[in-house]
Amino acid sequence: MALQGILVVELAGLAPGPFCAMVLADFGARVVRVERPGSHYDVSRLGRGKRSLALDLKQPRGAAVLRRLCARSDVLLEPFRSGVMEKLQLGPEILQRDNPRLIYARLTGFGQSGSFSRLAGHDINYLALSGVLSKIGRNGENPYAPLNLLADFAGGGLMCVLGIVMALFERTRSGKGQVIDANMVEGTAYLSSFLWKTQKSSLWEAPRGQNILDGGAPFYTTYRTADGEFMAVGAIEPQFYELLIKGLGLKSDELPNQMSMDDWPEMKKKFAAVFAKKTKAEWCQIFDGTDACVTPVLTLEEVVHHDHSKERGSFITNEEQSMSPRPAPLLSNTPAIPSFKRDPFVGEHTEEILDEFGFSREEIDQLKSDKIIESNKVKASL
């Protein structure tokens, strides 16, 4: 796999960090997740392909253990607010002095500097400060966040993956690691570059919810079907719009011009009335195989069984029969081979990891006795 041989130490956090490390693991990196003793499980459920080490970093001897791990690792991924790692004597100056090749990835909400850098926040807060939230929402309604996907996982976790991979590539030339300041506010803002670059175009000339791409256009929105399900319409180009009109059983010469914004509210009502006359399955029979850009809004249960998903093998099943998306993108020569094992228990691999990193049996036993580490090895059932 592409990241085979890369060793990553992930300090346990919520959603963005675990996702970032899971992507690295999916593509071949060996990931050690360092968790607090006494914690029960990764609430994000993104532990695929990782091993778990339970270690108390608040104890000086626990911090010393982490230093020894990082001295032999390629990447450290930490999710804490600015200044936390420095208080633990685990900042980049110290760890990169021990290991100049270490890539020190810092994944936070607001970044390592600025007046918000030490404040708490969640996806919706980062989305709000990025400017993107102001653009999302229906006409006349409050802005709303599209779940916690944009800031946490796209602007945060995935952007951090990109930073790590670029730093690994650069290290092949310089031989040195570097510090990555990945944060969800700026990552989300960067994702929205298209919005910034097109601000003065006709795409956004109307208030929120009244433009082509934000739900204002009748040909770029969703419609309820007769069975209470939904269809998604994205027929922007004229040739696709014509196929939409044809599939709806309407006549173009009896309708206003596609781009007549004044007529959009009435056109949405007309389209809604037509869509409400057939079920989702019936609309699929009409539009599947056409370029009308009309697709069913699938539930998570439905998408797994959709023909396109099955034809491409888009979903995988682990040993616990839990389904999830296959890693993307597909690499032709070195594709991801995700683990099919269950997620690790907290501290399940503590002793084997320390043994691999050169800790003696006596050191491990003492750390365990002093509650610096915790071991929760799975006992075999006879």
Side-chain angles (χ1 to χ4, degrees), residues 7 30 48 81 178 201 238 264:
L7 181 54
R30 290 184 298 145
R48 184 170 63 211
R81 295 185 223 175
Q178 56 185 300
S201 73
W264 282 358

Side-chain angles (χ1 to χ4, degrees), residues 59-76:
Q59 300 293 331
R61 288 168 61 202
V65 170
L66 186 72
R67 282 185 66 172
R68 286 177 65 175
L69 298 184
C70 290
R72 294 176 52 179
S73 299
D74 296 288
V75 179
L76 172 69

Side-chain angles (χ1 to χ4, degrees), residues 91-104 177-179:
E93 298 81 6
I94 293 174
L95 297 189
Q96 288 184 321
R97 186 167 62 240
D98 296 341
N99 178 6
R101 290 176 56 81
L102 181 68
I103 291 162
Y104 196 112
Q178 56 185 300
V179 179

Side-chain angles (χ1 to χ4, degrees), residues 1-4 8 18-31 46-50 161 316 324-329 331 334-341 343:
M1 288 187 280
L3 297 179
Q4 183 175 351
V8 178
F19 176 68
C20 174
M22 187 189 76
V23 173
L24 298 174
D26 283 341
F27 283 88
R30 290 184 298 145
V31 177
L46 296 169
R48 184 170 63 211
K50 305 175 187 179
V161 171
I316 57 177
S324 58
R326 181 185 63 190
L331 303 182
T334 55
I337 306 175
S339 170
F340 291 95
K341 296 180 180 179
D343 288 1

Side-chain angles (χ1 to χ4, degrees), residues 250-269:
L250 301 174
K251 297 181 179 179
S252 296
D253 56 6
E254 297 177 357
L255 300 174
N257 182 278
Q258 177 188 358
M259 292 299 173
S260 175
M261 296 178 71
D262 290 340
D263 293 302
W264 282 358
E266 284 304 313
M267 288 300 297
K268 288 176 78 171
K269 292 178 183 178

